Amino acid sequence: MYSALRTIQNTARRAASMSTAAAATGKPLTIGLIPADGIGREVIPAARQVLEALPSDIMPAKLGFVDLDAGFEHFQKHGVALPEETLAALKGDCDGALFGAVSSPSHKVAGYSSPIVGLRKQMDLYANVRPVISGSAATASGEKRAIDMLIIRENTECLYIKEEEQFEGSDGKYAIAKRRISEFASRRAGEMAFSMALQRDAMRKQLPASERTWAGRPKVTIVHKSNVLSVTDGLWRETVRKVYEANSQYKADVDIEEQLVDSMVYRMFREPEAFDVVVAPNMYGDIISDGAAALVGSLGLVPSANVGDSFVVGEPVHGSAPDIAGRNIANPIAAIRSAAMLLERTGYGSAALAIYRAVDKVLAEGQIKTPDLGGKSTTSEVTEAVCKQL
C-alpha cells in the first residue's frame, strides 16, 4: 500500500525545521510513550516492539523510551487528563513521542479536557499530517483507484479551542461554541501545505514515471465553507491564498484550487485521485482525514504526525475502540506507521523506510490480518510479522 514511499515520507518534514544532527552522530533518540486509553495500551507497545527490532545498521541511534501518563481513564483516577509531569518529561527529556488514543466522553465532564488537544497546544504542534495512500482505493462507485493524498490539518484552533457555554432561554436550554481562526495559525498551515507540495513533487521526480501515483503538477486544495462562515472561513481562505500569492515559487510551480467542505467529502469518495495536498481548518481536517481512511480499508492502517517546528508526536488516526480493548485484536499498523513517521521527522529516514517496507510486505502477503481487515490474526501476530520482515 505504501509503494514508492520515497515519494511520500519526506513530506512529513518541513524544510530543515527538525534537527538531523542526532541521526548523523548516532546520538540517543528518546521517545515518550503515551498509550492513554483503550487500544492505545496495545498498539503503542506494538510500535515500540517494532522500533526495538530495527537492526543497528539501519537505526544507528540507541533508542530510549519514557512511559508517560495521560487520558480520560487517568483523569477518572487522578483528576487530570494531561499531567504536568508528562509535559515536563516531553519538553525536557524526549526528542519525540507516540500517543495512542483517548476515550474522551461525548458529554460534558466537569474539569476534563482532551489530553491530545492540550498536548498539541502545549507543544505547539500546529499541523496534523496524514498521508492517505493506496494502489487500489475503493471509491463510492466501487472502482479501484490509486491515490496519493496528503491532508494537512491545522491543529491548534477552530472549534477545538473548546470554549463552550450553555444558557437557559425562554424556549429551553441553548449552547454557544466559540470558533477561533487566526491569520497566524492559518498562515503556518498554508506554508506547510505549499512547501510539502513542492517536496512531494521533488521526491516524485526521482522515481520512474511508472511508479508515480500522482502524475500532474503539485496541487494544493484549500478546504473551507466561506459561503456560509464568511468571517472565520473567509479569513482562513484569504490567509492561505496570501501565502500562495506572496511566494513566487509557489505561484510558478504549484497549482491551487478550493473546495467547500461538503463538496470536498463528495469528491473525495467519488474521485480521490484528484487530490494531492489538502489543507483544512482543524475540525474539517479531522472529519476529512477520518473519512479518507475508508478509502484504504480501515482506520487501523492510517498514521498521522502532530508536527511543530521542534517536536513531533506520532498518533494513529483511530480512536480508543473500547469495544475491542484488551482482546489483542486491535490493528497495530497505524501506530507502527506513526512511529515510522516520527523517525522520518527526526532524521532517521532509512529506519522509517525499513518499517514502511516491512509493513507493506505483511499487507501484500495478506496472510496475517486483524479482524478489521477481514482476518483472524491478533495484534501480537501482526506485530511479530512486521518484526520478522525487519
Side-chain angles (χ1 to χ4, degrees):
M1 177 176 140
Y2 267 46
S3 59
L5 281 165
R6 288 170 297 173
T7 307
I8 304 149
Q9 305 309 333
N10 278 330
T11 64
R13 182 179 301 160
R14 188 182 179 202
S17 63
M18 298 290 286
S19 172
T20 58
T25 61
K27 177 184 174 184
L29 182 71
T30 302
I31 299 172
L33 300 178
I34 312 173
D37 302 325
I39 62 171
R41 296 176 179 172
E42 298 164 68
V43 299
I44 294 303
R48 174 177 178 168
Q49 183 178 336
V50 171
L51 289 171
E52 291 178 323
L54 285 164
S56 58
D57 60 330
I58 296 175
M59 184 62 193
K62 180 180 180 180
L63 290 170
F65 300 94
V66 180
D67 294 317
L68 300 170
D69 292 320
F72 184 62
E73 293 169 33
H74 189 272
F75 171 82
Q76 290 177 307
K77 294 177 181 177
H78 304 284
V80 59
L82 182 60
E84 288 296 329
E85 295 84 357
T86 293
L87 287 171
L90 292 174
K91 293 176 180 179
D93 303 327
C94 300
D95 301 297
L98 292 173
F99 187 96
V102 62
S103 298
S104 291
S106 57
H107 58 281
K108 181 178 179 180
V109 176
Y112 175 78
S113 183
S114 170
I116 187 60
V117 173
L119 187 62
R120 291 165 181 163
K121 291 180 180 179
Q122 291 290 331
M123 303 300 292
D124 196 25
L125 306 173
Y126 59 85
N128 185 270
V129 180
R130 297 188 180 186
V132 183
I133 306 122
S134 176
S136 58
T139 65
S141 64
E143 296 179 69
K144 300 288 187 179
R145 300 180 186 177
I147 60 171
D148 176 4
M149 178 166 53
L150 188 73
I151 300 172
I152 308 294
R153 166 189 167 193
E154 197 290 315
N155 222 14
T156 64
E157 49 181 35
C158 192
L159 282 170
Y160 289 7
I161 60 172
K162 293 202 67 168
E163 292 187 15
E164 299 177 288
E165 294 181 273
Q166 184 171 284
F167 304 92
E168 289 283 354
S170 58
D171 297 323
K173 295 179 180 178
Y174 66 97
I176 294 176
K178 293 183 179 179
R179 184 177 194 242
R180 175 181 171 85
I181 298 289
S182 70
E183 280 187 317
F184 176 71
S186 303
R187 187 182 303 114
R188 291 200 297 184
E191 187 67 49
M192 180 170 285
F194 290 114
S195 65
M196 285 190 172
L198 289 175
Q199 289 169 32
R200 283 161 64 84
D201 186 56
M203 296 304 295
R204 287 181 179 124
K205 288 177 178 177
Q206 297 179 34
L207 296 171
S210 60
E211 294 184 27
R212 302 176 195 172
T213 301
W214 179 267
R217 282 163 48 90
K219 181 172 72 172
V220 171
T221 303
I222 306 170
V223 178
H224 59 82
K225 189 67 175 175
S226 62
N227 60 326
V228 176
L229 300 172
S230 58
V231 177
T232 50
D233 273 15
L235 179 60
W236 160 265
R237 172 187 173 276
E238 292 165 9
T239 303
V240 176
R241 289 197 69 96
K242 284 180 181 178
V243 171
Y244 177 77
E245 296 294 340
N247 188 298
S248 58
Q249 186 179 13
Y250 296 162
K251 291 180 68 175
D253 298 331
V254 181
D255 292 334
I256 187 173
E257 69 173 8
E258 300 179 23
Q259 282 288 308
L260 298 178
V261 63
D262 42 0
S263 64
M264 172 68 205
V265 173
Y266 176 82
R267 283 195 67 199
M268 185 175 71
F269 285 105
R270 297 294 298 183
E271 46 176 337
E273 75 280 5
F275 299 103
D276 181 16
V277 176
V278 176
V279 61
N282 202 342
M283 188 176 73
Y284 300 161
D286 190 7
I287 296 169
I288 290 168
S289 53
D290 280 7
L295 296 168
V296 298
S298 170
L299 280 171
L301 296 174
V302 183
S304 78
N306 298 285
V307 176
D309 288 336
S310 60
F311 204 82
V312 58
V313 175
E315 178 195 3
V317 170
H318 61 67
S320 61
D323 56 321
I324 63 169
R327 296 170 57 190
N328 195 30
I329 59 172
N331 192 337
I333 296 298
I336 292 169
R337 283 175 166 163
S338 296
M341 289 184 75
L342 186 155
L343 292 182
E344 181 75 21
R345 183 72 184 179
T346 50
Y348 297 94
S350 295
L353 188 57
I355 292 176
Y356 293 128
R357 286 173 171 164
V359 169
D360 284 351
K361 289 179 181 178
V362 172
L363 292 174
E365 289 173 358
Q367 300 300 309
I368 301 177
K369 300 183 293 185
T370 44
D372 60 307
L373 297 177
K376 296 182 179 180
S377 303
T378 65
T379 306
S380 301
E381 289 170 339
V382 173
T383 305
E384 290 165 5
V386 174
C387 290
K388 287 180 181 178
Q389 292 292 347
L390 290 173

